[in-house]
Every structure is written in C-alpha cells, then in structure tokens.
Amino acid sequence: MTNKFLSEELREWLDVSRREFMQRISLGAASAAVAGSVLAKSVSADELRDHVQVADTGKKVKVGIGLNYGPFNQPWRRGCWRLCKTVLDGGGEIVAVRGEPSKDSEQQSERQLLDRGIDVLCLGIYSQESETAFIVDEAKKRGIKTVGFAVPVKESPAVVEDTWGTAMVMGYQIQNVLQRQGTLVQTAEDRGFYTPFDMEGDLLELMTKYEPRMKMLPFMPGSTSTNDQISKGRENALALLQANPDPDSIQAIVSWWWPLTLGAVQALKQMNRKNIKVFNHYFSDQFLTEFQNPDNTIEFSTDTPWHIMGDKTGELALALGRGEDVKPNVYHVPVTSITKDQAAKSLAEIQEMDKQAIALLKQYGG
C-alpha cells in the first residue's frame, strides 16, 4: 500500500459528510444490536425538524404528557414547551398532568394519563424502557400510541440525548485543556436517579483510564432534583477540597448538572482554589450568568438542545395519533457546547425560550 494510495483513500473518506458518517455508524450499530427492529439515528437539527411530514387529516390528536420538572429542570421545561407548542401548532390538543421530578411521580402521571381519553402518550424522562414496559402494554390494550421523550420506550419511536456523544465532547475538551495530565473528580445527581448522567460519567472515567498521566477520583454524589442542589453541590465540594488540601491535588471538577456546578464554584471561591478548572453540562439562566463572570474558573459547557427534542417528539406524537406508519426509531439530538466567550449570547437565547416556556406551560399547570 503506497503513500499515494493512502492519501487518496483518506481524501475519499473525508469527502463523506459528517451527517452521512454518523448515520452509517448509528444505523449499523443499531441493526447489529437489535436485529434491525429498532434503529438509532444521530441526525442534524434540520433533519430532526424535517424528517416527519405530518399529514393534517382533520383529526384532533390528544397528546398526554406529564409535566414532572422541578425548579432546577429548566432544560426539561424547555423541551416540554416545544413539545406542547408543536402539537398545538399542528392542530392537536395537550392533556397534561403535573408531577414532581422523580421516577415514581413520572410513572404515576403516565398511568393517570391513560384514563384521560388521549390518543398518544409521551413517556419520559427518567424511567428507562424496562421500567415503563407495563405502561406501554396497557396503553396498547387501550389503543393508545406511545412515544419516548428523552428515553427509549418499548416498541415505540423516541427522541433522546446523544449521551455518549456529549461525554466524548466533554472528555476530549478536558483532556486538551489539561494537556492530558492531572486529577479529576466528577459530580452529578445520585447514581440511578438520571441514567444519562451515569452513562456520561462512566464514559469519561473510561476515557481517563487510558490516559496514563490522568487520574479520576471517586464519584461525588450530588443529591436529587427535589432538593436544594446548589447548596448540596457547595457542601460536597467543600468536603472534597478539605479532604484534598494540597493546591495541586485536583486539577478539574466535572459537573454533569448545572446546580452542582454553581455549588462547586461557590466552594472554590470560598476556599480560594483558583487553580481548579470547572466543566459543566446543561444550560440555565443562572449558570450562564455565572459562566460569564471572569472571576470563576468555569472553562466549558455542553448542553442538550431540549427544544429540538421537544419539536421532534411533538411531530412524532402527531403522526402516531393520525395513524401514520411511524417506525420505532430512536433519534439522537445534536450536542451543543460553548466556551466562556459565548455565554452571553447563549444566555439571551435561553432567557427568551424560558419566557415563552413559562407563558405556555402555565396553562397546563406547569
């Protein structure tokens, strides 16, 4: 094999668009793993918006959704807003039940919605496929279609985060910023509370494992969404810093949930540990306001475009409710990431979305 051949082969490979490349990987892996019954697609924002052409048959589709987000779940709220808006704009009707951010409340809301005369049930965001299979089976008996919102759902289409992609974006950024050396610690909500956090933490730990000059400290649990997570994040970070008083003992804190990020930043300021870099996942107005502050050491943040996830889920719900043939594909939304200089622009966008989300969802108890 000559160098000339290698160059031509490389050029040919690079000519393949990222979109096509990601689709080939996703489709091939899914087909091998699930024998082609459920496909996993990683597609662009435009594709997510345009993929489903919902025919207006005149049927007023009733879509059930549990509004189980809490005060810290601003990303989730944005997703619910766009899901509801898409259904309403498409001539459908929203049937909502207000709950709390937990698996138990979520499943209770879904069971209540089965008795509300709905055509389609949106399931998510905490409970995984095996945990809601009995609800899907009951929905099927009643002629109710099902769709996954941020979670896979038995024999149903779903729109989810690109969890592994997020972890890889975060991991490579951390490695580059730290020049592939140093000690890290991760924090998120308690293990088992929100599965994507567990998956992201596991992948980052694996990526760190293969860097000989990097070390991962034990996971720092961060409570649940029904608690004051900013205070808990500060409390946990203070304990971590007190247990590791050497200024060079820790180089980075990786927080997969923004309230815990803010708590960690407060602890770093209190302990004057300005050499520890902070990496965050998920946007909120509070986080982006703090991110702009030059006095903190927040380096980078990823995010999940929940508004896009809501758009796509709403389209799928309408198509299902109108009797269209919707394959049980699992769609991954794109990964968003920004550095400190981009925080102000992102904050303005988030504040405008949150304003609209609050105005719409208050009509449904949200």
Side-chain angles (χ1 to χ4, degrees):
M1 186 177 293
T2 66
N3 288 336
K4 179 180 179 182
F5 178 79
L6 283 172
S7 298
E8 291 173 351
E9 183 181 47
L10 180 59
R11 282 197 300 270
E12 182 181 355
W13 183 85
L14 290 173
D15 283 339
V16 178
S17 71
R18 179 181 182 277
R19 179 185 303 175
E20 293 172 332
F21 180 62
M22 292 303 295
Q23 284 181 331
R24 290 176 190 178
I25 291 177
S26 299
L27 290 171
S31 297
V34 201
S37 60
V38 178
L39 303 181
K41 292 189 177 181
S42 180
V43 296
S44 71
D46 287 340
E47 285 178 296
L48 280 167
R49 290 194 178 99
D50 298 341
H51 189 272
V52 176
Q53 300 298 324
V54 183
D56 187 357
T57 61
K59 175 179 172 59
K60 197 171 188 65
V61 178
K62 293 185 178 181
V63 178
I65 178 173
L67 302 179
N68 297 298
Y69 52 81
F72 293 113
N73 304 124
Q74 294 174 21
W76 184 357
R77 182 178 65 194
R78 287 191 289 274
C80 290
W81 157 56
R82 288 293 280 266
L83 194 165
C84 292
K85 185 177 187 302
T86 299
V87 170
L88 294 170
D89 289 348
E93 179 180 335
I94 292 295
V95 181
V97 171
R98 191 69 172 102
E100 296 181 346
S102 71
K103 287 186 179 182
D104 287 343
S105 180
E106 177 179 273
Q107 292 175 25
Q108 182 179 5
S109 298
E110 291 161 357
R111 291 195 297 269
Q112 290 177 24
L113 285 164
L114 292 177
D115 297 323
R116 301 292 177 89
I118 61 174
D119 301 298
V120 183
L121 174 64
C122 298
L123 295 99
I125 68 166
Y126 287 122
S127 303
Q128 296 300 298
E129 181 173 339
S130 60
E131 297 171 306
T132 58
F134 73 101
I135 298 176
V136 174
D137 289 341
E138 181 59 31
K140 184 181 294 186
K141 291 178 184 177
R142 303 184 187 199
I144 299 171
K145 303 294 180 62
T146 51
V147 60
F149 178 47
V151 291
V153 170
K154 180 182 178 182
E155 299 171 350
S156 308
V159 190
V160 302
E161 303 178 65
D162 187 354
T163 305
W164 302 120
T166 299
M168 289 181 65
V169 169
M170 179 71 81
Y172 284 127
Q173 181 72 7
I174 292 168
Q175 290 177 355
N176 290 338
V177 169
L178 298 184
Q179 299 182 334
R180 286 173 166 74
Q181 56 187 328
T183 299
L184 322 177
V185 64
Q186 297 190 84
T187 188
E189 292 182 313
D190 294 343
R191 297 281 297 187
F193 188 74
Y194 186 57
T195 302
F197 288 159
D198 299 347
M199 295 165 65
E200 287 154 351
D202 289 346
L203 182 54
L204 181 57
E205 185 161 1
L206 185 62
M207 292 178 72
T208 303
K209 175 183 176 181
Y210 288 98
E211 291 294 337
R213 296 182 298 170
M214 300 186 77
K215 176 184 177 182
M216 183 70 73
L217 294 178
F219 175 76
M220 184 166 60
S223 80
T224 61
S225 292
T226 53
N227 299 321
D228 182 353
Q229 294 182 294
I230 296 177
S231 296
K232 186 62 175 176
R234 181 176 62 250
E235 175 186 325
N236 289 348
L238 284 172
L240 170 75
L241 298 174
Q242 290 164 357
N244 297 271
D246 184 342
D248 297 322
S249 58
I250 300 173
Q251 280 65 52
I253 295 176
V254 185
S255 172
W256 295 105
W257 186 221
W258 71 265
L260 303 175
T261 304
L262 295 187
V265 168
Q266 292 173 7
L268 291 173
K269 290 179 179 179
Q270 183 175 331
M271 300 294 287
N272 198 30
R273 297 285 287 271
K274 297 181 179 180
N275 61 323
I276 298 178
K277 299 183 184 302
V278 179
F279 298 83
N280 173 78
H281 181 47
Y282 276 139
F283 292 171
S284 74
D285 54 358
Q286 297 102 310
F287 166 74
L288 291 168
T289 298
E290 178 61 31
F291 194 7
Q292 297 177 74
N293 187 346
D295 294 333
N296 64 55
T297 59
I298 305 174
E299 281 278 329
F300 180 75
S301 180
T302 49
D303 188 40
T304 296
W306 279 78
H307 55 292
I308 296 175
M309 195 186 307
D311 287 344
K312 179 66 174 181
T313 308
E315 290 177 359
L316 291 170
L318 284 172
L320 287 165
R322 289 175 179 156
E324 297 185 28
D325 181 18
V326 181
K327 298 186 183 303
N329 294 342
V330 179
Y331 298 89
H332 296 92
V333 296
V335 179
T336 303
S337 63
I338 62 170
T339 49
K340 192 180 287 287
D341 60 309
Q342 299 166 307
K345 180 180 178 181
S346 296
L347 175 60
E349 294 171 350
I350 289 298
Q351 288 177 327
E352 178 57 31
M353 284 195 284
D354 285 346
K355 178 182 177 181
Q356 295 183 49
I358 292 170
L360 177 62
L361 293 175
K362 71 179 181 181
Q363 302 175 44
Y364 302 97

